[in-house]
Amino acid sequence: ERARLIAVERQRADEMEALRATLTELTAELELQVLLLAIVERASVLLEGAGGELGLYDPNEGKVEIVVSYGFQQDYIGTFHKLGEGAMGLVAKTGEPLILDDYQTWKGRAQHYEQDEIHAIIAVPLQLGKRLIGVITVVAEDESRRFSDLDVNLLKLFGQQAAISIENARLFENAQMEIAERDKAERELRRYQEQLEERVAERTRELQKSEQSYRNLFNGVPVGIYRTTPGGEILDANPGLIQMLGYPSKDSMLTEKAGSMYVDPEERTSMQAVLEREGLIRDVEMQLKRYDGQVIWVTNTARVVKDESGKVLHYEGSMQDISERKLAEIELQKYQEQLEDLVEERTSELRAS
């Protein structure tokens, strides 16, 4: 008895090691169709089956579509199982594993498998949490082969990781499609830019695209947060502002006076007057000097913080670097001037003719 138990444990350990190695291979595969075939092949080998199938569940249609058919005389890819129909449909409906000792004599057998001599079959759902991804089956052609509860547990463990791998491959495939679409859009944009003669007809659409691009750029840049006194002492600055203005450290920035960072110090004086009169400014454009002397454009939004008596304690605000947007606006102005020249030139030609 002890020798039998040791043999069982050794077999179990071998199965777990084979499962671990198999799952490692699956996790690394991101091409969906290759992954799906690999899942069925590995499951068949793992359970010593003759073949198997994998079906993906479509919640909108309420059906399971076979996407991999491995080891059968006939190719069943593209075949659908309604919920409750056949072994796959039954597992998809109940969410529970299924073992059949002889599929040939099972009353629920799907009719389209009559050309294949299938005997023992095991099927488990592929799930992410409570969400059904699909169903995997492994079949045996040997009449003496029987699947056990241990096989169910092994295939369930395999199926859990297989479901995750399928989802990852789907996400990767979608991401690749998005990248391809974005690349295509960028190529189209370059083509438009190279075809100056088409700009008159396409100008409105290009301006709309440009406006969206500028808005995305504007919203995506880092935000600098600050707190300063009316006298210009910098009380606090976040990493975004320090990086935006190129200072080597926070301490080096706090030693500066706020007014010294303005290209035009009068802009801060004007800003203070509005702040103390209205209590708030929004998106005021101004130019600042970075630590290295470079000039950048920013938008400034700030509010006044007062004590209970109404005395101004400090200003709190945020700045966004809009230098790239400013350059883009200049480029857009050039395009508009070029367009006006084209229109004027064409008008002159028409008048001359």
Side-chain angles (χ1 to χ4, degrees):
E1 178 64 17
R2 181 182 178 186
R4 186 186 68 80
L5 292 175
I6 291 175
V8 169
E9 287 300 318
R10 182 177 293 113
Q11 180 182 359
R12 180 66 173 170
D14 292 341
E15 289 175 347
M16 289 298 100
E17 176 58 26
L19 176 62
R20 184 199 65 77
T22 298
L23 294 180
T24 299
E25 294 179 11
L26 293 182
T27 302
E29 181 58 62
L30 288 174
E31 188 175 338
L32 183 59
Q33 198 55 45
V34 174
L35 172 67
L36 295 174
L37 178 58
I39 288 173
V40 178
E41 289 178 343
R42 302 295 195 282
S44 298
V45 172
L46 196 63
L47 297 185
E48 299 179 352
E53 290 184 328
L54 192 150
L56 295 179
Y57 177 61
D58 184 345
N60 296 322
E61 297 292 332
K63 297 178 181 179
V64 178
E65 179 185 4
I66 296 176
V67 294
V68 174
S69 181
Y70 170 70
F72 291 88
Q73 293 181 13
Q74 183 174 337
D75 187 356
Y76 297 103
I77 291 177
T79 303
F80 289 91
H81 290 266
K82 298 178 182 179
L83 292 179
E85 179 184 35
M88 270 197 178
L90 182 60
V91 171
K93 181 178 181 180
T94 64
E96 298 294 332
L98 176 68
I99 295 179
L100 297 172
D101 290 339
D102 191 358
Y103 189 76
Q104 296 288 111
T105 59
W106 184 48
K107 293 182 179 180
R109 176 182 178 178
Q111 295 181 355
H112 50 255
Y113 288 106
E114 291 182 356
Q115 295 186 16
D116 284 274
E117 189 173 344
I118 304 171
H119 292 286
I121 182 173
I122 181 172
V124 301
L126 303 177
Q127 295 174 310
L128 279 177
K130 295 183 179 180
R131 180 162 64 94
L132 179 66
I133 299 296
V135 178
I136 185 171
T137 65
V138 176
V139 302
E141 295 179 348
D142 185 350
E143 295 184 31
S144 64
R145 176 71 167 100
R146 295 290 184 271
F147 294 110
S148 66
D149 290 339
L150 290 177
D151 292 323
V152 169
N153 291 334
L154 191 61
L155 191 56
K156 283 174 66 177
L157 289 173
F158 178 84
Q160 290 171 2
Q161 185 59 49
I164 294 172
S165 297
I166 290 171
E167 190 69 6
N168 288 341
R170 280 174 163 174
L171 292 173
F172 178 77
E173 188 176 74
N174 291 337
Q176 291 297 101
M177 291 176 61
E178 290 177 3
I179 291 172
E181 290 174 0
R182 185 164 61 247
D183 288 344
K184 180 181 178 181
E186 290 175 353
R187 289 194 300 271
E188 285 296 312
L189 181 58
R190 287 194 296 269
R191 184 175 67 84
Y192 290 147
Q193 292 172 340
E194 292 170 356
Q195 297 175 351
L196 184 60
E197 293 180 355
E198 296 178 8
R199 286 196 172 276
V200 174
E202 299 176 356
R203 192 58 184 163
T204 300
R205 182 165 65 250
E206 286 192 10
L207 287 173
Q208 291 173 343
K209 291 180 179 179
S210 297
E211 182 181 355
Q212 185 62 47
S213 296
Y214 300 152
R215 186 178 298 111
N216 292 340
L217 179 61
F218 176 80
N219 292 335
V221 294
V223 175
I225 308 298
Y226 67 86
R227 180 181 295 169
T228 63
T229 67
E233 181 183 357
I234 302 175
L235 301 176
D236 202 1
N238 77 330
L241 186 63
I242 296 167
Q243 182 179 7
M244 184 190 304
L245 295 178
Y247 278 78
S249 67
K250 182 176 181 178
D251 289 341
S252 65
M253 187 176 207
L254 296 185
T255 61
E256 297 282 351
K257 285 290 186 178
S260 67
M261 298 177 181
Y262 286 71
V263 173
D264 182 2
E266 288 300 319
E267 283 191 324
R268 187 170 192 273
T269 303
S270 300
M271 178 199 75
Q272 284 183 273
V274 176
L275 272 174
E276 297 191 14
R277 182 177 68 250
E278 301 181 7
L280 180 70
I281 62 169
R282 291 184 183 275
D283 296 330
V284 176
E285 295 184 1
M286 57 186 59
Q287 287 181 299
L288 298 181
K289 291 183 291 186
R290 283 170 48 90
Y291 182 77
D292 59 7
Q294 179 186 353
V295 175
I296 63 171
W297 278 94
V298 301
T299 57
N300 189 10
T301 298
R303 71 184 185 96
V304 173
V305 178
K306 300 179 179 180
D307 63 15
E308 295 179 355
S309 66
K311 179 183 177 182
V312 176
L313 297 177
H314 55 260
Y315 310 133
E316 288 181 344
S318 64
M319 290 184 173
Q320 290 182 306
D321 186 343
I322 60 167
S323 300
E324 291 190 36
R325 193 193 77 184
K326 280 291 185 180
L327 292 175
E329 288 176 352
I330 293 171
E331 187 66 21
L332 179 59
Q333 181 62 35
K334 290 181 180 179
Y335 286 146
Q336 290 173 333
E337 291 173 357
Q338 190 175 33
L339 177 59
E340 291 172 359
D341 291 342
L342 284 173
V343 172
E344 184 177 350
E345 180 182 344
R346 183 56 179 162
T347 301
S348 299
E349 291 177 356
L350 290 174
R351 287 175 178 173
S353 62

